[in-house]
Amino acid sequence: MSISIKEIAEIVGVSRGTVDRALNNRPGISAEVKAKVLKVAKDHGYRFNRAGRMLSIRKAPPKIGIQMPSIGNDFFLDVLAGIDKAVDELADFGVTVSIKQMKGFDPAKQVSQIRQLIDEGINGLAFVPIDDPMTSKLMDELSEKGVPVIVLNSDISEGQRLCYIGTDYTLSGRTAAGFFRVLAKGRAMQTLVVTGSHLVLGHNQRTDGFVQVAQEHPEQIHILEVVENLDDEQISYDLTKEALKQFPQLNAIYLAAGGVAGTCKAVEESGRDESIEIVCNDVTPAVIDYLKSGTITATIGQQPFAQGYQAVQMLFNFLLDGNRPDDQWLTRSEIVIAENAGQADSENR
C-alpha cells in the first residue's frame, strides 16, 4: 500500500503543505527538506497521481532552459538534435525550450545567459557548466528556488544539481592513452596533448586520465607538452604548428576536446601526417573526414545525441512527478576508426 502525504509529513517532521510543495516541485521549500521528502516518498513507494499531474502540466506547460558554450564546436550539433527530438516527443504537453549559446569559456557570460533564462521564467535548466565558483553559486541559488538543474556533457566540482549526463571523462582519457600504447610497439609515443579549457572539469578529467596512463607506462608514452586551445580551430592550428617546430620528435597528438580540424590542418601542412598518430574525441563530420583520409587514427565517441535527449526527458519527468534520476547518467566511451565511423555517426543521430 502506498504511503500517504500525511504519513510522509509525519516521518520527515514537516507540514503536509511542505510535502505537497516538494512532491510537486513548487517553490517555498529548502533544497535540504525537499530532498528528505523525496527520499522518504521514494523509499516508501509513494505513488504520484501521474494522470492528474499530466492534466495539470498541460495547463501550465514547463519551459526548460538550455545553456552551452557551443558556438564554433560542431560536437554540439548532435546535442541540439537530441534536444529537438525530446521536445518534439513532448509536444503534447506543451514543453518548450529556450537555448542560449556562447563561444568560449567565460563564466561571467555563462552566468549572465542563465540569468536571462531565469528572467524568461524557466522551470528547469540543463547546461554545460564552466567549473567556476560563480557558476556553482548560481546553481545553489536555483536549487533554493526549486528550479532543478542538470549538468550536461561536463560535471562541475561544486553546486547542487539533479544529475550529471555525459561521459566518464577520466575513462575516456585513459582509453585514448591505452590506444597509444597499442600503437607504440616498442617505441615511445612522444605526445602533444591539446586540451580545451582548464575551466571545464571534463577537459581536466580527460587530460588527467591520459596523464595517469602515461605515468604508469613512461616507456611507451612521453608527454612533451599540454596546451589549451579553448575549443578554437585557429588557436589549435597555431599551437600545433608551433609544437611541430619545437618538437621534431613529436609522433603523437591527443586532442582532449575541440579544435580538431585546426590541429589536423597544421599536421597535414607540415607533411608529417603519415608519421604522426592523432587520437581525438567525438564523431563530427570533420572528424569522420580526417579518419577516412588517415590523418586521424582514431576517435572516442560519447553519444552527444543521447546527452541532449536525456537532459530534456529527465527534467520533464522530474517536473511532472518528482521522478529523481540517478546521480549520473553515463554515456559509452568507444573507440571509432575509419572502418566503423559511419555506424558511429548514425548512432549519434
Side-chain angles (χ1 to χ4, degrees):
M1 183 175 178
S2 177
I3 192 171
S4 68
I5 288 179
K6 180 181 178 182
E7 289 169 327
I8 295 173
E10 291 172 350
I11 293 172
V12 180
V14 296
S15 69
R16 281 179 286 183
T18 297
V19 173
D20 180 73
R21 282 192 290 273
L23 295 176
N24 292 287
N25 198 38
R26 297 192 182 104
I29 179 174
S30 73
E32 182 180 1
V33 172
K34 181 178 180 179
K36 288 181 180 178
V37 170
L38 293 177
K39 185 177 187 305
V40 169
K42 182 177 181 180
D43 291 347
H44 290 78
Y46 176 76
R47 295 175 186 171
F48 290 89
N49 182 1
R50 194 174 181 89
R53 286 290 296 145
M54 285 182 173
L55 290 173
S56 175
I57 212 164
R58 283 191 175 97
K59 297 177 182 177
K63 184 174 187 177
I64 293 172
I66 308 287
Q67 198 282 332
M68 302 184 294
S70 50
I71 294 176
N73 189 340
D74 285 351
F75 164 81
F76 287 99
L77 295 176
D78 284 330
V79 177
L80 289 165
I83 290 169
D84 288 343
K85 175 66 173 175
V87 173
D88 183 61
E89 290 182 2
L90 297 172
D92 287 348
F93 299 98
V95 175
T96 57
V97 296
S98 179
I99 301 174
K100 305 291 184 185
Q101 301 183 69
M102 69 184 201
K103 182 176 177 62
F105 303 97
D106 180 351
K109 186 170 183 178
Q110 178 164 75
V111 167
S112 175
Q113 288 194 336
I114 293 173
R115 291 204 177 279
Q116 290 173 34
L117 291 170
I118 295 170
D119 290 342
E120 292 178 15
I122 60 170
N123 306 102
L125 172 71
F127 79 120
V128 181
I130 296 168
D131 199 19
D132 184 89
M134 290 177 62
T135 307
S136 301
K137 183 179 179 181
L138 181 56
M139 290 170 64
D140 292 340
E141 179 184 320
L142 286 170
S143 180
E144 289 297 322
K145 292 179 177 179
V147 178
V149 176
I150 282 180
V151 291
L152 172 65
N153 185 249
S154 181
D155 210 342
I156 191 166
S157 299
E158 297 180 347
Q160 297 185 57
R161 59 167 176 71
L162 186 66
C163 175
Y164 161 61
I165 298 175
T167 191
D168 181 333
Y169 277 90
T170 302
L171 175 62
S172 179
R174 291 186 64 88
T175 300
F179 192 77
F180 275 132
R181 289 189 61 217
V182 172
L183 296 172
K185 295 184 178 179
R187 59 177 170 156
M189 305 303 291
Q190 304 288 340
T191 309
L192 171 69
V193 176
V194 184
T195 190
S197 171
H198 298 310
L199 294 175
V200 177
L201 181 62
H203 295 176
N204 293 336
Q205 291 172 330
R206 198 177 263 160
T207 302
D208 289 345
F210 190 91
V211 170
Q212 288 170 13
V213 176
Q215 291 174 339
E216 293 163 7
H217 303 277
E219 75 287 354
Q220 292 180 301
I221 302 175
H222 176 240
I223 296 175
L224 299 169
E225 188 178 19
V226 178
V227 296
E228 184 182 21
N229 70 4
L230 303 180
D231 278 359
D232 184 277
E233 301 292 357
Q234 185 61 49
I235 295 174
S236 199
Y237 171 83
D238 293 339
L239 289 171
T240 305
K241 192 172 181 179
E242 179 61 30
L244 289 166
K245 293 177 182 177
Q246 184 179 354
F247 304 110
Q249 73 274 37
L250 191 156
N251 61 5
I253 298 175
Y254 174 51
L255 287 136
V260 174
T263 286
C264 289
K265 179 182 177 183
V267 171
E268 289 180 341
E269 288 180 358
S270 74
R272 294 166 60 184
D273 45 304
E274 292 188 4
S275 62
I276 295 177
E277 307 284 1
I278 298 178
V279 173
C280 63
N281 294 274
D282 307 322
V283 189
T284 66
V287 169
I288 292 175
D289 288 342
Y290 284 117
L291 278 170
K292 291 179 178 179
S293 72
T295 302
I296 292 176
T297 307
T299 189
I300 300 170
Q302 58 167 317
Q303 299 179 280
F305 182 95
Q307 291 183 25
Y309 178 84
Q310 290 294 336
V312 173
Q313 289 285 356
M314 286 183 185
L315 279 172
F316 173 75
N317 286 328
F318 183 78
L319 292 168
L320 176 66
D321 56 18
N323 185 12
R324 191 178 188 91
D326 292 337
D327 183 65
Q328 294 183 329
W329 193 91
L330 296 178
T331 58
R332 298 190 304 269
S333 294
E334 53 190 6
I335 294 174
V336 178
I337 57 176
E339 285 72 15
N340 69 340
Q343 178 184 0
D345 183 45
S346 65
E347 287 178 351
N348 280 341
R349 289 173 163 77

